[in-house]
Amino acid sequence: MKYLLSIFSSFLVLFSLFSCEPEEEILTRNPQANLQFSTDSLIFDTVFVKTGSVTKRVYLYNFNKNAVEVDEIKLGGLANSAYRVIINGVETPTAQKVRIRGNDSLLVLVKVFIEPENRNNPFLVKDSLVFSQNNNVQDVKLVAYGQDAYFYRDQELDCNTVWKADKPHIIYDRVIVNKGCTLTIEKGARIYAHKNAGILVDGSLRVEGTAQERVVFTGDRRERFYENIPGQWSGIRFFTNSKNNVIQYADIRNAQVGIWAGSPDQNPNTYEIKLEQCTIQNMYTIGILSYTTDIQAINTLITNCGQHAVAGFGGGTYDFKYCTIANYTPEFRRDTPSFAFTDRIVLDNGQNIDYPVKLSMVNSIVWAGTRGGKLTDEILFLNQSASPLEIALTHNILQTERYRSLLEPTNIINQDPNFRYTPESPRNNIPYDYSLDTLSVANGAARSLPAVKADINGLLRDNQKPDIGAYERLKP
């Protein structure tokens, strides 16, 4: 009998051990057992209609030792809401009886899709994510800024197309400007390109920005994180028949290659591409990549390009006036010069194509600070054919040891131009400021060019002693 009682007692102990529910699984109905949230609001940056936003997260934390049950999670607008939520892997506007274990959390994913409303100006799209639990009601505010836009997907544009500034222009895949056709972009227009998308020009591109209303080209990710991330879209590419391209007061940002030009010399007296008062920045590889093309750049800033700021391969005619090539590259480990030219292209079949290089540069800066604690050579001229390079550089600030003896008499060599804020500055501001400090050696050191009256921002140049670089310093 004692033996049977001992077995029975052991059985009861084991039963109690295995049948005991863990504390964090025990459901509490205590009205004080509230949930806490990772945020009280989710704010989405500008969302273009029809495209959908990024996915954002909100966490519900149960810091109680016991489990709680959320009676209901729902969108305020339910099925009519512009927002979509995913709860426990299921997309639904509402969910009931959602249990959260003690000292555990629940992840809710939120996204917004905004229907077109034919509005030119941004507008607010609001809702709330409501949580009811133990007779307590809590919510997380949802706010998005919607924006209607013009959309292009793998599209050949009509001849003489005009892109207005009333709504953004969103490019998927590519848009094509055919031979003999012109795309005109009005002042203040904003162009956003999706991943790997770009503008292909075999005709003409006319960008008509002003100092007050610049034209912006960048990627279509509008979150602040992507504001200065290189390589988000392909860039602007000019093909063989392209000519009469003028880009004024434009900001070209965050592409793989900013300007990619392959237009052989069609007229020895004109430039196929003219850049005036432009910025080209945050390029994954090259700011301006040219194959045997004639390019003029005036009052233009080129910065943060992963390989070269400017690369002229296979010859071409180049004219730079009042440009700042400040190729600091904090996002890249770069071992290539910022400013590089060669008179030869080697094709995949091994064939060489040689074309002379004619380079003129005046009142400009080529500088990239120190890398690895020392100055590096930021200029390369590679002469591979029988024809000599025609190079005329004067009144510039240049970072080079290789060409010091050739360029020193008429240029300032290896003297820091003292930009206001760079990646090497103590404040390390982003975006950086490549205007001139009051003690800059560039102040008043440029040669007067009466035809160039204003700087990159439209500030008038000093008639007698203008400053070197794209930025004229505002005199007291």
Side-chain angles (χ1 to χ4, degrees), residues 328 365 367 397 415-419 435-437 439-442:
Y328 293 82
I365 299 171
W367 192 264
I397 298 174
Q415 292 191 41
D416 193 326
N418 287 329
F419 300 119
S435 61
L436 302 174
D437 188 80
L439 300 179
S440 173
V441 69

Side-chain angles (χ1 to χ4, degrees), residues 18-278:
F18 283 103
S19 64
C20 207
E21 188 175 8
E23 194 172 44
E24 64 270 18
E25 297 284 358
I26 298 173
L27 184 64
T28 179
R29 289 294 182 181
N30 185 345
Q32 303 300 317
N34 290 328
L35 298 171
Q36 295 186 33
F37 299 89
S38 57
T39 182
D40 61 2
S41 61
L42 291 179
I43 300 176
F44 295 80
D45 294 319
T46 302
V47 178
F48 298 118
V49 299
K50 300 190 297 186
T51 62
S53 71
V54 295
T55 299
K56 293 202 170 187
R57 296 171 171 84
V58 57
Y59 287 91
L60 286 74
Y61 297 110
N62 176 21
F63 292 121
N64 303 284
K65 63 180 181 180
N66 298 127
V68 297
E69 189 171 74
V70 184
D71 300 314
E72 184 177 41
I73 302 173
K74 68 177 182 178
L75 285 165
L78 296 176
N80 295 322
S81 176
Y83 294 87
R84 304 288 184 269
V85 296
I86 297 176
I87 303 168
N88 286 332
V90 178
E91 182 176 316
T92 176
T94 180
Q96 287 81 31
K97 305 300 181 184
V98 179
R99 181 171 292 200
I100 307 176
R101 297 175 49 172
N103 293 309
D104 204 346
S105 63
L106 173 70
L107 171 63
V108 178
L109 304 177
V110 184
K111 199 170 184 178
V112 60
F113 293 85
I114 300 176
E115 293 297 325
E117 295 194 16
N118 198 26
R119 299 187 190 182
N120 292 343
N121 297 320
F123 52 92
L124 282 177
V125 178
K126 297 181 180 180
D127 204 340
S128 58
L129 193 57
V130 182
F131 302 87
S132 302
Q133 175 253 335
N134 286 350
N135 295 319
N136 294 319
V137 178
Q138 299 169 275
D139 67 1
V140 173
K141 305 299 183 186
L142 306 177
V143 180
Y145 294 87
Q147 174 71 77
D148 201 359
Y150 299 105
F151 293 89
Y152 309 89
R153 186 181 294 275
D154 201 12
Q155 183 172 340
E156 294 186 17
L157 300 179
D158 295 335
C159 276
N160 303 320
T161 292
V162 177
W163 283 4
K164 297 183 177 297
D166 56 341
K167 294 187 289 189
H169 299 261
I170 316 299
I171 302 172
Y172 289 91
D173 300 323
R174 59 184 181 173
V175 295
I176 302 170
V177 183
N178 285 319
K179 178 182 178 181
C181 298
T182 300
L183 168 61
T184 301
I185 301 178
E186 292 185 344
K187 63 183 180 181
R190 293 150 294 158
I191 292 86
Y192 300 99
H194 198 58
K195 182 179 180 181
N196 297 325
I199 301 175
L200 309 183
V201 183
D202 204 31
S204 300
L205 176 64
R206 313 284 293 188
V207 179
E208 300 177 343
T210 67
Q212 294 74 34
E213 298 180 86
R214 301 180 71 90
V215 174
V216 176
F217 299 84
T218 189
D220 67 345
R221 297 298 297 268
R222 305 299 297 130
E223 303 91 332
R224 187 175 297 275
F225 174 79
Y226 289 93
E227 188 174 356
N228 293 294
I229 300 296
Q232 296 180 48
W233 60 295
S234 176
I236 305 173
R237 186 165 183 174
F238 299 89
F239 288 94
T240 303
N241 298 299
S242 184
K243 60 183 179 180
N244 299 326
N245 300 287
V246 179
I247 304 176
Q248 297 174 311
Y249 287 102
D251 300 322
I252 304 171
R253 305 172 184 159
N254 306 334
Q256 296 169 17
V257 176
I259 300 291
W260 184 325
S263 305
D265 191 7
Q266 301 178 47
N267 187 333
N269 300 315
T270 62
Y271 291 95
E272 276 80 60
I273 301 172
K274 291 184 178 181
L275 301 167
E276 301 174 359
Q277 280 87 9
C278 294

